[in-house]
Amino acid sequence: MKHTLSLLVENKPGVLARIAGLFSRRGYNIESLAVNTTESSEISRITLVVDGDEKVLEQITKQLYKLIVVLKVNDFTDVPVVERELALIRVNSDTNNRRAIIDLVEIFRASIVDVSERELIIEITGDSEKIDAFVKNLEPYGIKEMVRTGKIVMPRGMRLNSK
Amino acid sequence: MEMTVAQAIIKFLQEEGVEVIFGYPGGAVIGFYDALYDSSLRHVLVRHEQGAAHAADGYARASGKVGVCVATSGPGATNLVTGLATAFMDSSPVIAITGQVRTNVLGKDSFQEADITGITMPITKHNYLVKDPEKVLTVFKEAFYIATTGRKGPVLIDIPADVFMAKINYSYPSNINLPGYKPTYDPHPLQIKKAINLIKSAEKPVILAGGGVISSNASSELLKLAEKINTPVITTLMGKGAIPEDHHLYCGFLGMHGAAYANFTVNNSDLIIAVGVRFSDRSTGRVDTFAPNAKIIHIDIDPAEIGKNVSASVPIVADAKIALQRLYEEVEEKNNPNWWAQIKEWKEKYPLKYKNSDEVIKPQYVIEKIYEITKGSAIVVTEVGQNQMWAAQFYKVKYPRQFITSGGLGTMGFGLPAAIGAQIANPDKLVIDIAGDGSIQMNIQELATAVCQKLPIKIFILNNSCLGMVRQWQELFYRKRYSCTLFDFAPDFVKLASAYGIYGRRVEKPSEVEDAIYWALEKNDAPTIIDFKVVREENVFPMVPAGGSIDKMMID
């Protein structure tokens, strides 16, 4: 089962290496990863998606807490959250299909951020499923390049702590 | 007071109570060594940085204090790696100070540059690269706190050469702020209550004591609890010394080469009170057949150990000493006569044994004689392999920090440098390194260190002209195909002793063993080597084949 973990860590050099190293040496695979600072410049938030059963998750959480630089580990898997991912997609587009792509962009509330003779760059945000669906719809036109950020989440309503 | 960072570090170490450091100079730490020149801090010059790390580790294990080692950048630092990994696996509080290339050339593949913080991330409890001179002392304070609290472990501090020479104002850093590090010492009362209920209803309880009992100085609390509930105490290899092994409650150490009765007792128990153990594969054997009917009360200061290898019925995250004290206060006295009758039967039926000989020297006989002659009082440090297992089986340890061995990493070459650390920590005690001819050659250069420091360590080599433990596996599981385990050349260890200007003696007959041990014990001014030519084919039994159940042993 996929779990979304949200970590608060000290904003210092090498912190990501410690966390990534912990996952790799213990054989846990990171499926998605997003890192940036929080409202405090001394603290960063790492959001990551990992696959594993409850036992694996418990061990991952405990091992993460052993790292001196980790302040908090939240598992947001069963918590109502606002979930977002952003993608930039470079898709083939000429005058024949441009209208159809624009329709698609409007349906998905994406936006076109760059236009040239033979291609468009589209920006889309949303949960992973929405982006997957959008990508699937664009595929017939020929996707030339795609960049996706990792997933970021924030719990809805009152801040919940799953631990 | 303004001084260089190097001077400030030395002042800090002294204020922190450090009396000795083990190290080896080099380009990036010249500044540090220059400051050391004016200091009263004792520096032990090793002959290889691996020796410095093991010696600091041995010192820490034997004394309960922090062991400090120093190495230069690049190869000096990387030579510490095996020693740090050893300390990490056995939760030993070691501080490693490494030099780094100057900050202006850092990250440019400069001469003698290695990313030692990157390299040691998975084998240290924490590590630092300190580029800001103003932060050095705070980092040191944090490092000592991290190394010595919670589950103890090694911490490395990497310092660029120019930072050592920068000027700072010294002030002892009294406050530290580690928001992500808060060890739990006090057990949860509810879990203690649950544990008490389990103990009350248990008919076949055992206490399993590990290295955590020793590192939290919890031996007397352990013994008081065990006596109150009249429960057999079994240790892990790392737990040897947690209870006096001549005590009537002691029931051996368990695992791959543990006593058969210890393995039977654990596997047939209905309650395991596990204290400061991590249920390593060498202790449990096959996990899914390990103690199938036992509930487990697992006491450990590291929450990640609970449920990692076996699941616990009652998890108690706490310092072993405090948790055992609580259990002792709340538990009712009990007796388990049927259980003890069963254990007695196993003890009588499956004692630790070997077939002695008049013609060839049996290694177990040597250990038995060392035990008898030293009256069980020596600090025994081991190398790794058959020598280690025989020492564990036949030397009955009486007090904590008396048996020093590389349990987790199984590091050949650990014994001699660790014995140096142990002897420096205990100048008045007899320190013995039980060695194999393979292991002793892995850090034999440290003989020079022992000689220079005038350490009267007794190095007893059980010389079977082979890599005994691997040879044993090849005999039993690889159709006697002795691939690369039989030494066709060995140095003359007696001449080697002579080359170092110390005492050496070869023993080839069982009748000479006792006399040679007495002879060695008389030498109080220098290391002494005895090369016991033991029989090559001797195996360590009992043996649980790797991945097997611990109650399915090859007995002989």
Side-chain angles (χ1 to χ4, degrees):
Chain A
M1 164 160 188
K2 284 194 174 54
H3 290 258
T4 306
L5 298 183
S6 179
L7 278 53
L8 286 177
V9 299
E10 288 187 51
N11 181 14
K12 283 182 180 166
V15 169
L16 185 59
R18 285 179 202 280
I19 287 157
L22 185 154
F23 277 82
S24 66
R25 85 189 157 102
R26 293 194 185 265
Y28 311 131
N29 189 30
I30 300 175
E31 300 198 355
S32 158
L33 178 76
V35 194
N36 217 320
T37 51
T38 60
E39 65 282 2
S40 158
S41 62
E42 285 170 19
I43 297 174
S44 292
R45 187 180 290 282
I46 298 178
T47 309
L48 41 81
V49 180
V50 290
D51 201 359
D53 60 21
E54 284 307 315
K55 225 173 133 51
V56 168
L57 245 288
E58 185 189 329
Q59 189 55 218
I60 288 177
T61 307
K62 286 173 165 178
Q63 293 295 342
L64 283 169
Y65 268 119
K66 279 179 76 169
L67 298 176
I68 311 283
V69 294
V70 172
L71 306 174
K72 187 83 200 154
V73 181
N74 282 307
D75 185 351
F76 284 147
T77 309
D78 296 323
V79 177
V81 289
V82 179
E83 175 195 322
R84 287 291 180 273
E85 211 177 309
L86 184 146
L88 293 174
I89 304 161
R90 189 194 303 277
V91 62
N92 284 326
S93 168
D94 54 30
T95 44
N96 294 327
N97 61 22
R98 186 149 291 179
R99 188 63 242 172
I101 293 178
I102 291 169
D103 286 348
L104 210 51
V105 165
E106 279 169 5
I107 292 165
F108 278 87
R109 297 182 188 191
S111 52
I112 293 167
V113 290
D114 188 63
V115 181
S116 57
E117 210 173 314
R118 291 213 182 96
E119 58 184 44
L120 299 169
I121 298 178
I122 303 167
E123 174 195 312
I124 180 168
T125 60
D127 61 26
S128 309
E129 283 167 12
K130 176 185 166 185
I131 296 174
D132 288 344
F134 183 61
V135 168
K136 204 157 194 261
N137 277 285
L138 278 186
E139 262 167 8
Y141 303 102
I143 293 174
K144 296 175 81 175
E145 196 181 5
M146 177 165 70
V147 195
R148 284 173 79 156
T149 64
K151 184 158 98 171
I152 55 169
V153 296
M154 195 175 264
R156 290 181 184 276
M158 207 174 73
R159 180 87 187 272
L160 291 171
N161 178 4
S162 66
K163 252 199 75 71
Chain B
M1 202 187 346
E2 204 186 54
M3 57 177 79
T4 65
V5 164
Q7 288 167 331
I9 291 170
I10 288 165
K11 190 169 162 60
F12 172 84
L13 292 176
Q14 288 176 317
E15 287 199 42
E16 199 69 18
V18 173
E19 286 163 0
V20 57
I21 54 177
F22 303 87
Y24 203 92
V29 286
I30 282 188
F32 180 79
Y33 275 84
D34 187 65
L36 199 61
Y37 199 69
D38 299 320
S39 131
S40 60
L41 198 61
R42 179 174 179 186
H43 178 268
V44 173
L45 177 64
V46 294
R47 294 302 185 271
H48 185 295
E49 290 87 349
Q50 188 186 345
H54 289 322
D57 185 354
Y59 176 89
R61 294 185 201 214
S63 66
K65 298 184 208 160
V66 187
V68 181
C69 58
V70 184
T72 194
S73 66
T78 56
N79 277 346
L80 293 176
V81 166
T82 304
L84 291 174
T86 306
F88 184 66
M89 288 288 270
D90 291 342
S91 310
S92 184
V94 169
I95 299 281
I97 303 166
T98 50
Q100 183 52 274
V101 299
R102 304 175 67 83
T103 44
N104 63 341
V105 292
L106 190 63
K108 299 190 172 157
D109 303 321
S110 309
F111 177 66
Q112 291 194 328
E113 177 176 1
D115 171 20
I116 197 64
T117 44
I119 291 168
T120 57
M121 250 174 218
I123 54 159
T124 51
K125 189 169 169 187
H126 194 53
N127 63 18
Y128 297 88
L129 164 62
V130 202
K131 290 191 275 189
D132 179 354
E134 296 296 333
K135 289 195 175 142
V136 170
L137 291 174
T138 312
V139 162
F140 265 83
K141 182 73 187 168
E142 286 180 10
F144 272 74
Y145 181 68
I146 291 168
T148 55
T149 55
R151 179 177 182 173
K152 299 174 173 91
V155 178
L156 179 138
I157 307 166
D158 197 27
I159 302 171
D162 52 325
V163 173
F164 273 122
M165 299 317 290
K167 289 273 170 72
I168 57 168
N169 276 311
Y170 184 88
S171 73
Y172 183 81
S174 39
N175 289 324
I176 47 167
N177 179 26
L178 291 167
Y181 180 68
K182 299 233 166 11
T184 305
Y185 295 100
D186 285 321
H188 197 286
L190 188 69
Q191 302 297 347
I192 293 287
K193 198 159 282 172
K194 283 188 193 165
I196 296 291
N197 286 335
L198 278 189
I199 295 171
K200 194 174 178 182
S201 58
E203 286 168 14
K204 298 191 276 182
V206 298
I207 293 175
L208 182 58
V213 173
I214 290 164
S215 64
S216 83
N217 300 318
S219 289
S220 63
E221 285 77 7
L222 180 87
L223 193 57
K224 273 163 68 184
L225 175 68
E227 282 172 342
K228 191 167 181 186
I229 60 176
N230 194 26
T231 297
V233 179
I234 285 157
T235 68
T236 64
L237 183 70
M238 290 300 295
K240 267 179 78 76
I243 172 173
E245 296 188 358
D246 48 8
H247 193 282
H248 69 276
L249 292 176
Y250 178 66
C251 274
F253 80 98
L254 90 163
M256 181 175 274
H257 296 294
Y261 50 86
N263 287 352
F264 287 135
T265 305
V266 170
N267 239 31
N268 288 285
S269 64
D270 64 358
L271 177 67
I272 299 174
I273 306 166
V275 196
V277 302
R278 58 186 182 88
F279 291 103
S280 103
D281 56 303
R282 280 295 190 269
S283 289
T284 62
R286 209 176 129 174
V287 178
D288 57 359
T289 56
F290 175 74
N293 302 315
K295 295 206 160 82
I296 296 176
I297 299 166
H298 193 173
I299 302 168
D300 206 295
I301 196 146
D302 179 359
E305 283 309 331
I306 295 174
K308 187 181 82 179
N309 295 338
V310 301
S311 25
S313 311
V314 180
I316 300 180
V317 177
D319 175 52
K321 195 181 178 83
I322 301 172
L324 287 167
Q325 181 68 32
R326 291 287 143 76
L327 289 177
Y328 171 76
E329 284 160 7
E330 294 186 30
V331 82
E332 287 169 26
E333 286 181 31
K334 65 184 283 172
N335 268 306
N336 314 290
N338 295 338
W339 179 225
W340 273 109
Q342 169 70 74
I343 292 166
K344 198 165 165 246
E345 198 182 309
W346 284 324
K347 270 189 158 177
E348 278 163 12
K349 204 166 167 192
Y350 306 103
L352 282 170
K353 62 174 198 284
Y354 66 96
K355 281 197 196 82
N356 208 353
S357 157
D358 289 336
E359 276 110 56
V360 288
I361 303 178
K362 291 294 184 95
Q364 300 94 327
Y365 173 73
V366 176
I367 305 285
E368 275 191 336
K369 283 292 150 197
I370 296 170
Y371 172 70
E372 275 173 38
I373 294 169
T374 60
K375 301 187 178 66
S377 66
I379 293 180
V380 174
V381 186
T382 78
E383 301 286 350
V384 164
Q386 288 185 319
N387 63 82
Q388 176 186 33
M389 290 300 125
W390 285 317
Q393 290 180 340
F394 293 96
Y395 201 99
K396 297 182 194 71
V397 175
K398 293 214 170 103
Y399 55 91
R401 307 191 181 281
Q402 188 192 354
F403 188 79
I404 294 171
T405 197
S406 168
L409 198 66
T411 310
M412 288 177 73
F414 172 79
L416 176 55
I420 289 173
Q423 183 78 79
I424 285 173
N426 297 276
D428 301 326
K429 280 198 173 138
L430 175 63
V431 175
I432 292 173
D433 176 27
I434 304 286
D437 51 315
S439 270
I440 193 67
Q441 290 185 65
M442 281 216 181
N443 271 317
I444 200 157
Q445 77 287 344
E446 296 311 326
L447 265 181
T449 309
V451 172
C452 292
Q453 299 290 326
K454 299 189 173 55
L455 305 174
I457 298 164
K458 314 300 168 214
I459 301 158
F460 293 149
I461 303 174
L462 305 176
N463 186 345
N464 54 11
S465 310
C466 64
L467 294 174
M469 193 57 97
V470 186
R471 192 212 61 82
Q472 173 170 343
W473 284 47
Q474 288 170 334
E475 178 190 327
L476 300 174
F477 311 116
Y478 290 86
R479 294 181 288 126
K480 300 192 179 182
R481 285 153 54 88
Y482 295 129
S483 181
C484 305
T485 50
L486 307 183
F487 287 147
D488 46 21
F489 168 80
D492 181 329
F493 290 110
V494 177
K495 280 191 183 155
L496 191 92
S498 161
Y500 280 94
I502 58 173
Y503 309 100
R505 184 163 160 180
R506 181 170 300 110
V507 181
E508 284 167 313
K509 286 192 211 121
S511 58
E512 297 165 354
V513 168
E514 272 191 43
D515 182 58
I517 295 168
Y518 279 113
W519 173 83
L521 297 193
E522 283 163 17
K523 314 292 180 206
N524 290 325
D525 56 338
T528 306
I529 295 177
I530 301 188
D531 182 18
F532 292 100
K533 294 281 189 190
V534 301
V535 58
R536 183 182 256 182
E537 291 74 24
E538 194 65 19
N539 288 335
V540 183
F541 290 116
M543 176 176 195
V544 178
S549 301
I550 56 162
D551 58 351
K552 306 270 186 302
M553 283 157 282
M554 304 161 84
I555 300 285
D556 49 32

